[in-house]
Amino acid sequence: QVQLVESGGGSVQAGGSLKLSCATSGTTARILAMGWYRQAPGQAREQVATITNDRRIKNADSVKGRFIISGDNALNTVDLQMKSLKPEDTAVYYCTCAAAGGQSWGQGTQVTVTS
């Protein structure tokens, strides 16, 4: 199973920027897609952005124009550049990976946006 290590979370004022990174390890399986989800307290986990191995990108409407997902050619690492952050972006952000062996999740990284 793919192991995922996230980094880059933290606290920032509204209007600021943060970059999240996710690195894969523990597999030689072909990675089909990677993405970021988030979960705010008391809310369901929601999809933020995904990227497939043929470079198709999907963004949630709430982050379009503000967040950019990118990855290396093999999707061994994926970044989420977040700009113009809003207090409602506050959540635990999870990296996820879809590979031949199934789907894996990272442990999550906290993003806090203060007004």
Side-chain angles (χ1 to χ4, degrees), residues 53-68:
N53 59 1
D54 59 355
R55 322 314 287 184
R56 285 176 291 148
I57 290 174
K58 181 178 180 181
N59 294 310
D61 288 341
S62 59
V63 305
K64 284 181 179 177
R66 301 189 298 121
F67 291 10
I68 298 174

Side-chain angles (χ1 to χ4, degrees), residues 5-12 17-21 36-42 67 80 82 85-95 106-114:
V5 178
E6 301 138 331
S7 61
S11 182
V12 65
S17 300
L18 281 174
K19 180 181 176 181
L20 305 182
S21 296
W36 290 92
Y37 283 65
R38 68 187 181 186
Q39 188 167 20
F67 291 10
L80 184 68
M82 305 183 293
L85 283 160
K86 305 174 181 180
E88 51 263 45
D89 294 318
T90 295
V92 178
Y93 284 69
Y94 296 91
C95 177
Q107 292 187 330
T109 184
Q110 177 70 44
V111 172
T112 301
V113 184
T114 58

